[in-house]
Amino acid sequence: MTVVQSDRPPTAHHDWVLCGGCGQMLYRKRFELAGQVCPACGFHAPLTATERLGALCDAGSVRVLELAVTGTDPLGFTDTKPYAQRLRAAQAHTGSAEAVVCARGEISGFAVVLAVMDFRFLGGSLGTAVGEAITRAAEIALAERTPLILVTASGGARMQEGILALMQMAKTSQALGQLDEAGILTVGLITDPTFGGVAASFATLPDVIIAEPGARLGFAGRRVIEQTIGQSLPPEFQTAEFLLEHGVVDMITPRAELPATLTRLLSAAARRPDPQPRPASRTLVAEVARLPERDAWECVRAARRFGRPTTLDYVGLVVDDFVELHGDRAAADCPAIVAGLGRLAGIPLVVIGTQKGRSTTELAKRNFGMPNPSGYRKAARVMRLAAKLGLPVLTLIDTAGAYPGIEAEEQAQAVAIAENLRLMASLPIPVVAVITGEGGSGGALALAVADRVLMSANAVYSVISAEGCASILWKTPAEAPRAAAALRVDARSLLELGVIDGVIEEPGAGAETDLLAAAEQLRSAVVECLDDLLPQDQMSLITARHARFRRFGADSAVLADLSAEQPRFLERDV
């Protein structure tokens, strides 16, 4: 019986392999059928570039783009052996011209361009030929308007090519920037390991970053950090799980689920609507006279009822093929904000919402639906992706407000909210916001600068909580009912004030009594708005949105230009 380590691809005469994670002996054929994933511990063994293409793409769809390598020893470099000799050995060992294989392919029928790195070739290092191949793959994707998928496995820039290898970081990053400008989806798949110049360039720039379980990603490796600054690092440092928690990757996806996940992303990015039957009747209430007058405090209590539908409830009931995206790509992933891509009534769109939770444990985990700065920055990142791909945005809002803690202030909560307000005002895509429960202050408004702002019948929307207002103005929170009435926080009052555009009726005593009916009401109302907004061009959307928010308080003051020789009143340009 022959046994080999699983980090080397088994060959025909090897009957067994050892798992590189738990060391368990595995039958080779069963191991290969499982995608070279250990059934005992889930360890994902390395794949060659050819194996990776076969695992991701539809059978028979891969067309490898031939790579002719010339002049890849610009320095005439020699260490213990000439660099040219190392290259020839790597080519003989891998059967590849370089550390990347580029190809055209299809995933569930969606055409893609792929660049797949192979760590066996000089540690997957980024040299001039690798940088050129990846850049040319990006240029093909640009010319053909085809999504680009980058699969990374690298130790960093190739030392033997010196400063020219370093320049590949800039060149490949520039190529991805051109795809951003053209609105073409890019997806990165992080495999183990991805470090150095690759991590600091094209590996972390794609629109969506997926990591295999346990994959490591970082600029400086563990050994370098420990030896350079003597820091003690946790065992999970730089793993996919660590990176998800710290907002760097969007998701961790087991190898077997990658094709399905990529299919959902490609489907949304394709922007091809899947026609579905539309309700014949208009469900959105836009006339004040159709709404009953209600006690404002009762509305506050209704909006806070435990068990009201959350963002994830609505997503699960009305959004198909939803792919949740995580992280602000800077420091953290706020659990109080949910964001992702999917289809609503066949319409590809982005959904962003606050998430309170449906149990005491989840409420605590989700910070009671109060976002911190990383949550608003995650929302902004996903809104920019929506703008790039030309997808409408739906926001679902149920929050008492932005998180008021010390950490939030240290991370510039006010700046994060302000940046969202500015961003949403000029998004070149349709935006629909729905207040589904509490709409608390600037924390809610940061997701509600929209073309259409809707409210559930039992929702409230206010500059401050009723208790907060009562404590400040009446000096006691006991006057909250009085404050709620004075603030006019209920849906009918807000429709009359012109702050919202319509009210979504709720079943029975409230949405929490019939989730299915509540979800259908929301779906119908949102589709009604999108049917009106989607045919409009970008400038019409932005101009109308600017005018919508410009008019609030427009008659409350007049500004005079007293510095002119002839004092005059400044005209409003609405």
Side-chain angles (χ1 to χ4, degrees):
M1 179 175 65
T2 304
V3 177
V4 298
Q5 289 292 333
S6 63
D7 60 351
R8 291 194 295 270
T11 54
H13 64 278
H14 294 138
D15 297 324
W16 299 85
V17 296
L18 289 177
C19 171
C22 64
Q24 181 169 318
M25 193 176 298
L26 306 170
Y27 185 52
R28 180 184 63 81
K29 289 185 178 179
R30 187 173 300 163
F31 178 63
E32 290 178 346
L33 286 173
Q36 300 194 34
V37 176
C38 175
C41 71
F43 173 76
H44 283 52
L47 296 180
T48 68
T50 302
E51 289 169 337
R52 180 70 66 179
L53 287 167
L56 293 178
C57 297
D58 300 343
S61 71
V62 175
R63 299 290 182 269
V64 173
L65 302 169
E66 294 298 330
L67 179 62
V69 177
T70 58
T72 54
D73 187 12
L75 307 182
F77 193 95
T78 299
D79 46 75
T80 56
K81 63 176 69 172
Y83 173 46
Q85 185 178 334
R86 290 189 184 278
L87 281 174
R88 288 193 294 272
Q91 290 166 345
H93 172 61
T94 63
S96 297
E98 255 295 351
V100 66
V101 175
C102 299
R104 288 187 178 89
E106 292 183 0
I107 298 176
S108 296
F110 291 101
V112 293
V113 174
L114 306 99
V116 182
M117 302 191 75
D118 194 329
F119 194 78
R120 298 174 306 153
F121 196 109
L122 297 181
S125 50
L126 175 61
T128 53
V130 173
E132 182 64 19
I134 289 170
T135 300
R136 287 181 182 250
E139 290 170 348
I140 291 172
L142 178 64
E144 300 177 359
R145 302 198 64 80
T146 303
L148 175 67
I149 297 176
L150 299 165
V151 183
T152 60
S154 175
R158 191 170 296 175
M159 293 177 290
Q160 293 93 336
E161 295 187 21
I163 196 70
L164 295 180
L166 187 69
M167 294 301 106
Q168 305 311 304
M169 294 172 61
K171 183 166 78 175
T172 54
S173 299
Q174 176 178 280
L176 263 68
Q178 291 175 319
L179 293 177
D180 287 339
E181 293 173 5
I184 297 170
L185 177 70
T186 54
V187 180
L189 173 57
I190 306 299
T191 72
D192 188 62
T194 298
F195 281 104
V198 169
S201 57
F202 60 88
T204 49
L205 289 177
D207 301 314
V208 180
I209 302 178
I210 305 171
E212 285 194 329
R216 293 167 294 162
L217 168 75
F219 185 57
R222 171 184 288 271
R223 188 182 306 168
V224 172
I225 295 171
E226 289 177 336
Q227 292 179 353
T228 303
I229 61 176
Q231 235 177 5
S232 179
L233 304 174
E236 72 280 6
F237 182 68
Q238 293 181 322
T239 63
E241 295 71 19
F242 177 92
L243 297 165
L244 182 66
E245 180 183 349
H246 288 82
V248 178
V249 302
D250 284 289
M251 65 194 81
I252 300 171
T253 305
R255 191 169 288 167
E257 299 174 16
L258 284 170
T261 299
L262 289 169
T263 297
R264 292 197 296 273
L265 289 169
L266 293 167
S267 175
R271 288 173 271 186
R272 294 197 296 264
D274 176 19
Q276 293 186 6
R278 297 281 196 265
S281 60
R282 297 177 71 85
T283 58
L284 194 60
V285 179
E287 300 82 27
V288 175
R290 288 179 55 190
L291 297 170
E293 293 189 14
R294 300 180 59 190
D295 180 79
W297 180 243
E298 286 303 313
C299 290
V300 172
R301 295 177 62 189
R304 295 173 177 173
R305 282 183 198 142
F306 188 74
R308 282 187 66 81
T310 67
T311 290
L312 286 178
D313 288 331
Y314 282 122
V315 165
L317 291 169
V318 303
V319 179
D320 298 319
D321 300 325
F322 183 69
V323 182
E324 185 174 355
L325 306 180
H326 292 269
D328 63 354
R329 295 279 175 92
D333 177 48
C334 173
I337 292 278
V338 170
L341 293 83
R343 287 176 176 266
L344 176 70
I347 303 170
L349 83 171
V350 159
V351 182
I352 301 168
T354 55
Q355 177 71 15
K356 282 185 175 178
R358 297 188 57 79
S359 67
T360 303
T361 302
E362 190 184 4
L363 281 166
K365 177 184 175 183
R366 300 279 185 179
N367 206 25
F368 295 86
M370 294 186 291
N372 57 39
S374 68
Y376 291 113
R377 290 177 179 130
K378 171 168 67 174
R381 178 176 78 83
V382 179
M383 283 188 275
R384 291 189 187 97
L385 174 58
K388 169 183 171 175
L389 298 177
L391 301 177
V393 171
L394 168 64
T395 65
L396 303 174
I397 302 157
D398 182 10
T399 180
Y403 180 62
I406 294 174
E407 301 90 344
E409 293 303 313
E410 289 175 340
Q411 297 163 22
Q413 181 76 284
V415 176
I417 291 172
E419 288 179 342
N420 270 29
L421 300 178
R422 179 174 61 185
L423 171 66
M424 293 191 76
S426 296
L427 284 174
I429 47 177
V431 184
V432 177
V434 184
I435 314 294
T436 62
E438 289 185 278
S441 191
L445 181 61
L447 297 179
V449 182
D451 302 297
R452 300 287 185 273
V453 181
L454 315 180
M455 281 181 69
S456 297
N458 286 339
V460 292
Y461 193 14
S462 179
V463 66
I464 189 173
S465 70
E467 294 88 345
C469 177
S471 296
I472 294 170
L473 299 181
W474 281 273
K475 310 304 181 187
T476 172
E479 292 291 342
R482 187 176 173 187
L487 289 167
R488 301 184 67 185
V489 300
D490 61 288
R492 187 182 193 277
S493 295
L494 291 163
L495 183 60
E496 188 175 13
L497 290 168
V499 172
I500 64 172
D501 300 290
V503 177
I504 303 172
E505 295 181 309
E506 299 187 27
E512 68 277 7
T513 65
D514 190 338
L515 297 185
L516 288 175
E520 178 55 30
Q521 288 286 90
L522 180 137
R523 185 191 77 88
S524 297
V526 172
V527 168
E528 189 177 312
C529 292
L530 290 177
D531 282 344
D532 178 41
L533 294 169
L534 283 169
Q536 298 184 33
D537 62 74
Q538 295 181 359
M539 283 309 302
S540 296
L541 289 168
I542 295 171
T543 301
R545 195 181 309 140
H546 284 183
R548 183 187 198 283
F549 288 90
R550 176 65 180 83
R551 73 171 183 262
F552 294 125
D555 296 327
S556 62
V558 176
L559 185 63
D561 184 2
L562 301 179
S563 63
E565 288 184 11
Q566 201 64 13
R568 62 187 181 88
F569 293 111
L570 300 179
E571 296 179 359
R572 293 200 310 270
D573 181 15
V574 180

PDB file of all heavy atoms in Angstrom, residues 29-38 43-47 52 55 212 255-256:
ATOM      1  N   LYS A  29      -9.702   7.419  -4.521  1.00  0.00           N
ATOM      2  CA  LYS A  29     -10.815   7.637  -5.440  1.00  0.00           C
ATOM      3  C   LYS A  29     -11.968   8.354  -4.731  1.00  0.00           C
ATOM      4  O   LYS A  29     -12.604   9.244  -5.303  1.00  0.00           O
ATOM      5  CB  LYS A  29     -11.280   6.312  -6.041  1.00  0.00           C
ATOM      6  CG  LYS A  29     -10.288   5.719  -7.039  1.00  0.00           C
ATOM      7  CD  LYS A  29     -10.840   4.470  -7.699  1.00  0.00           C
ATOM      8  CE  LYS A  29      -9.853   3.921  -8.739  1.00  0.00           C
ATOM      9  NZ  LYS A  29     -10.356   2.676  -9.384  1.00  0.00           N
ATOM     10  N   ARG A  30     -12.246   7.953  -3.485  1.00  0.00           N
ATOM     11  CA  ARG A  30     -13.318   8.616  -2.745  1.00  0.00           C
ATOM     12  C   ARG A  30     -12.939  10.067  -2.448  1.00  0.00           C
ATOM     13  O   ARG A  30     -13.775  10.961  -2.490  1.00  0.00           O
ATOM     14  CB  ARG A  30     -13.582   7.842  -1.453  1.00  0.00           C
ATOM     15  CG  ARG A  30     -14.781   8.325  -0.668  1.00  0.00           C
ATOM     16  CD  ARG A  30     -15.070   7.392   0.495  1.00  0.00           C
ATOM     17  NE  ARG A  30     -15.351   6.042   0.009  1.00  0.00           N
ATOM     18  CZ  ARG A  30     -15.319   4.952   0.791  1.00  0.00           C
ATOM     19  NH1 ARG A  30     -15.000   5.055   2.066  1.00  0.00           N
ATOM     20  NH2 ARG A  30     -15.608   3.764   0.293  1.00  0.00           N
ATOM     21  N   PHE A  31     -11.672  10.274  -2.142  1.00  0.00           N
ATOM     22  CA  PHE A  31     -11.161  11.623  -1.861  1.00  0.00           C
ATOM     23  C   PHE A  31     -11.323  12.525  -3.079  1.00  0.00           C
ATOM     24  O   PHE A  31     -11.757  13.679  -2.984  1.00  0.00           O
ATOM     25  CB  PHE A  31      -9.691  11.502  -1.457  1.00  0.00           C
ATOM     26  CG  PHE A  31      -8.989  12.793  -1.167  1.00  0.00           C
ATOM     27  CD1 PHE A  31      -9.390  13.603  -0.119  1.00  0.00           C
ATOM     28  CD2 PHE A  31      -7.896  13.185  -1.928  1.00  0.00           C
ATOM     29  CE1 PHE A  31      -8.729  14.783   0.165  1.00  0.00           C
ATOM     30  CE2 PHE A  31      -7.226  14.361  -1.660  1.00  0.00           C
ATOM     31  CZ  PHE A  31      -7.648  15.159  -0.611  1.00  0.00           C
ATOM     32  N   GLU A  32     -11.019  11.998  -4.265  1.00  0.00           N
ATOM     33  CA  GLU A  32     -11.154  12.785  -5.494  1.00  0.00           C
ATOM     34  C   GLU A  32     -12.616  13.070  -5.812  1.00  0.00           C
ATOM     35  O   GLU A  32     -12.964  14.175  -6.258  1.00  0.00           O
ATOM     36  CB  GLU A  32     -10.483  12.055  -6.651  1.00  0.00           C
ATOM     37  CG  GLU A  32      -8.962  12.025  -6.549  1.00  0.00           C
ATOM     38  CD  GLU A  32      -8.321  11.261  -7.686  1.00  0.00           C
ATOM     39  OE1 GLU A  32      -9.068  10.545  -8.396  1.00  0.00           O
ATOM     40  OE2 GLU A  32      -7.100  11.375  -7.860  1.00  0.00           O
ATOM     41  N   LEU A  33     -13.489  12.098  -5.592  1.00  0.00           N
ATOM     42  CA  LEU A  33     -14.915  12.314  -5.843  1.00  0.00           C
ATOM     43  C   LEU A  33     -15.489  13.389  -4.918  1.00  0.00           C
ATOM     44  O   LEU A  33     -16.462  14.064  -5.269  1.00  0.00           O
ATOM     45  CB  LEU A  33     -15.690  10.996  -5.652  1.00  0.00           C
ATOM     46  CG  LEU A  33     -15.512   9.952  -6.758  1.00  0.00           C
ATOM     47  CD1 LEU A  33     -16.192   8.649  -6.378  1.00  0.00           C
ATOM     48  CD2 LEU A  33     -16.083  10.471  -8.074  1.00  0.00           C
ATOM     49  N   ALA A  34     -14.868  13.542  -3.745  1.00  0.00           N
ATOM     50  CA  ALA A  34     -15.308  14.574  -2.793  1.00  0.00           C
ATOM     51  C   ALA A  34     -14.654  15.915  -3.074  1.00  0.00           C
ATOM     52  O   ALA A  34     -14.704  16.818  -2.229  1.00  0.00           O
ATOM     53  CB  ALA A  34     -14.992  14.125  -1.365  1.00  0.00           C
ATOM     54  N   GLY A  35     -14.032  16.060  -4.247  1.00  0.00           N
ATOM     55  CA  GLY A  35     -13.385  17.331  -4.589  1.00  0.00           C
ATOM     56  C   GLY A  35     -12.100  17.559  -3.822  1.00  0.00           C
ATOM     57  O   GLY A  35     -11.677  18.701  -3.646  1.00  0.00           O
ATOM     58  N   GLN A  36     -11.471  16.483  -3.354  1.00  0.00           N
ATOM     59  CA  GLN A  36     -10.255  16.539  -2.547  1.00  0.00           C
ATOM     60  C   GLN A  36     -10.491  17.324  -1.251  1.00  0.00           C
ATOM     61  O   GLN A  36      -9.683  18.158  -0.843  1.00  0.00           O
ATOM     62  CB  GLN A  36      -9.089  17.102  -3.362  1.00  0.00           C
ATOM     63  CG  GLN A  36      -8.770  16.263  -4.593  1.00  0.00           C
ATOM     64  CD  GLN A  36      -7.450  16.574  -5.238  1.00  0.00           C
ATOM     65  OE1 GLN A  36      -6.487  16.914  -4.555  1.00  0.00           O
ATOM     66  NE2 GLN A  36      -7.369  16.459  -6.553  1.00  0.00           N
ATOM     67  N   VAL A  37     -11.633  17.038  -0.635  1.00  0.00           N
ATOM     68  CA  VAL A  37     -11.982  17.585   0.673  1.00  0.00           C
ATOM     69  C   VAL A  37     -12.113  16.416   1.639  1.00  0.00           C
ATOM     70  O   VAL A  37     -12.820  15.446   1.361  1.00  0.00           O
ATOM     71  CB  VAL A  37     -13.305  18.377   0.617  1.00  0.00           C
ATOM     72  CG1 VAL A  37     -13.697  18.863   2.012  1.00  0.00           C
ATOM     73  CG2 VAL A  37     -13.180  19.550  -0.340  1.00  0.00           C
ATOM     74  N   CYS A  38     -11.446  16.508   2.775  1.00  0.00           N
ATOM     75  CA  CYS A  38     -11.454  15.422   3.748  1.00  0.00           C
ATOM     76  C   CYS A  38     -12.858  15.275   4.347  1.00  0.00           C
ATOM     77  O   CYS A  38     -13.401  16.235   4.895  1.00  0.00           O
ATOM     78  CB  CYS A  38     -10.443  15.690   4.852  1.00  0.00           C
ATOM     79  SG  CYS A  38     -10.484  14.444   6.182  1.00  0.00           S
ATOM     80  N   PHE A  43     -10.869  19.449   5.648  1.00  0.00           N
ATOM     81  CA  PHE A  43      -9.667  20.070   5.075  1.00  0.00           C
ATOM     82  C   PHE A  43      -9.759  20.084   3.555  1.00  0.00           C
ATOM     83  O   PHE A  43     -10.054  19.077   2.914  1.00  0.00           O
ATOM     84  CB  PHE A  43      -8.421  19.304   5.519  1.00  0.00           C
ATOM     85  CG  PHE A  43      -7.153  19.768   4.861  1.00  0.00           C
ATOM     86  CD1 PHE A  43      -6.546  20.946   5.260  1.00  0.00           C
ATOM     87  CD2 PHE A  43      -6.554  19.025   3.843  1.00  0.00           C
ATOM     88  CE1 PHE A  43      -5.365  21.382   4.654  1.00  0.00           C
ATOM     89  CE2 PHE A  43      -5.377  19.451   3.246  1.00  0.00           C
ATOM     90  CZ  PHE A  43      -4.790  20.636   3.653  1.00  0.00           C
ATOM     91  N   HIS A  44      -9.529  21.263   2.969  1.00  0.00           N
ATOM     92  CA  HIS A  44      -9.552  21.430   1.517  1.00  0.00           C
ATOM     93  C   HIS A  44      -8.126  21.335   0.991  1.00  0.00           C
ATOM     94  O   HIS A  44      -7.322  22.245   1.167  1.00  0.00           O
ATOM     95  CB  HIS A  44     -10.157  22.781   1.144  1.00  0.00           C
ATOM     96  CG  HIS A  44     -11.652  22.822   1.260  1.00  0.00           C
ATOM     97  ND1 HIS A  44     -12.324  22.441   2.399  1.00  0.00           N
ATOM     98  CD2 HIS A  44     -12.618  23.198   0.359  1.00  0.00           C
ATOM     99  CE1 HIS A  44     -13.629  22.583   2.199  1.00  0.00           C
ATOM    100  NE2 HIS A  44     -13.829  23.025   0.981  1.00  0.00           N
ATOM    101  N   ALA A  45      -7.811  20.228   0.343  1.00  0.00           N
ATOM    102  CA  ALA A  45      -6.480  20.041  -0.218  1.00  0.00           C
ATOM    103  C   ALA A  45      -6.305  20.925  -1.451  1.00  0.00           C
ATOM    104  O   ALA A  45      -7.282  21.275  -2.120  1.00  0.00           O
ATOM    105  CB  ALA A  45      -6.265  18.577  -0.587  1.00  0.00           C
ATOM    106  N   PRO A  46      -5.066  21.305  -1.758  1.00  0.00           N
ATOM    107  CA  PRO A  46      -4.830  22.146  -2.944  1.00  0.00           C
ATOM    108  C   PRO A  46      -5.244  21.439  -4.222  1.00  0.00           C
ATOM    109  O   PRO A  46      -5.134  20.218  -4.342  1.00  0.00           O
ATOM    110  CB  PRO A  46      -3.320  22.390  -2.906  1.00  0.00           C
ATOM    111  CG  PRO A  46      -2.901  22.081  -1.503  1.00  0.00           C
ATOM    112  CD  PRO A  46      -3.829  21.025  -1.013  1.00  0.00           C
ATOM    113  N   LEU A  47      -5.719  22.227  -5.176  1.00  0.00           N
ATOM    114  CA  LEU A  47      -6.028  21.725  -6.508  1.00  0.00           C
ATOM    115  C   LEU A  47      -5.075  22.348  -7.513  1.00  0.00           C
ATOM    116  O   LEU A  47      -4.620  23.482  -7.332  1.00  0.00           O
ATOM    117  CB  LEU A  47      -7.468  22.082  -6.906  1.00  0.00           C
ATOM    118  CG  LEU A  47      -8.613  21.491  -6.089  1.00  0.00           C
ATOM    119  CD1 LEU A  47      -9.948  21.966  -6.653  1.00  0.00           C
ATOM    120  CD2 LEU A  47      -8.558  19.973  -6.058  1.00  0.00           C
ATOM    121  N   ARG A  52      -9.012  22.828 -10.853  1.00  0.00           N
ATOM    122  CA  ARG A  52      -9.902  23.905 -10.414  1.00  0.00           C
ATOM    123  C   ARG A  52     -10.863  24.305 -11.536  1.00  0.00           C
ATOM    124  O   ARG A  52     -12.062  24.497 -11.305  1.00  0.00           O
ATOM    125  CB  ARG A  52      -9.073  25.114  -9.977  1.00  0.00           C
ATOM    126  CG  ARG A  52      -9.886  26.279  -9.497  1.00  0.00           C
ATOM    127  CD  ARG A  52     -10.551  26.017  -8.166  1.00  0.00           C
ATOM    128  NE  ARG A  52      -9.586  25.865  -7.095  1.00  0.00           N
ATOM    129  CZ  ARG A  52      -9.931  25.645  -5.821  1.00  0.00           C
ATOM    130  NH1 ARG A  52     -11.219  25.557  -5.482  1.00  0.00           N
ATOM    131  NH2 ARG A  52      -9.014  25.502  -4.898  1.00  0.00           N
ATOM    132  N   ALA A  55     -13.541  21.787 -11.781  1.00  0.00           N
ATOM    133  CA  ALA A  55     -14.472  21.785 -10.656  1.00  0.00           C
ATOM    134  C   ALA A  55     -15.470  22.935 -10.728  1.00  0.00           C
ATOM    135  O   ALA A  55     -16.598  22.820 -10.249  1.00  0.00           O
ATOM    136  CB  ALA A  55     -13.689  21.853  -9.347  1.00  0.00           C
ATOM    137  N   GLU A 212     -12.338  29.709   0.457  1.00  0.00           N
ATOM    138  CA  GLU A 212     -12.552  28.324   0.861  1.00  0.00           C
ATOM    139  C   GLU A 212     -12.303  28.196   2.364  1.00  0.00           C
ATOM    140  O   GLU A 212     -11.521  28.964   2.933  1.00  0.00           O
ATOM    141  CB  GLU A 212     -11.612  27.393   0.091  1.00  0.00           C
ATOM    142  CG  GLU A 212     -12.022  27.170  -1.345  1.00  0.00           C
ATOM    143  CD  GLU A 212     -11.292  26.005  -1.992  1.00  0.00           C
ATOM    144  OE1 GLU A 212     -10.126  25.735  -1.625  1.00  0.00           O
ATOM    145  OE2 GLU A 212     -11.899  25.377  -2.871  1.00  0.00           O
ATOM    146  N   ARG A 255     -16.006  23.839  -1.083  1.00  0.00           N
ATOM    147  CA  ARG A 255     -15.706  23.613  -2.498  1.00  0.00           C
ATOM    148  C   ARG A 255     -16.895  23.073  -3.283  1.00  0.00           C
ATOM    149  O   ARG A 255     -17.156  23.505  -4.416  1.00  0.00           O
ATOM    150  CB  ARG A 255     -14.514  22.653  -2.596  1.00  0.00           C
ATOM    151  CG  ARG A 255     -13.902  22.519  -3.965  1.00  0.00           C
ATOM    152  CD  ARG A 255     -12.591  21.760  -3.871  1.00  0.00           C
ATOM    153  NE  ARG A 255     -11.549  22.573  -3.260  1.00  0.00           N
ATOM    154  CZ  ARG A 255     -10.379  22.099  -2.819  1.00  0.00           C
ATOM    155  NH1 ARG A 255     -10.118  20.799  -2.923  1.00  0.00           N
ATOM    156  NH2 ARG A 255      -9.482  22.902  -2.284  1.00  0.00           N
ATOM    157  N   ALA A 256     -17.643  22.165  -2.689  1.00  0.00           N
ATOM    158  CA  ALA A 256     -18.770  21.558  -3.399  1.00  0.00           C
ATOM    159  C   ALA A 256     -19.872  22.561  -3.704  1.00  0.00           C
ATOM    160  O   ALA A 256     -20.666  22.364  -4.631  1.00  0.00           O
ATOM    161  CB  ALA A 256     -19.339  20.401  -2.573  1.00  0.00           C
TER     162      ALA A 256
END
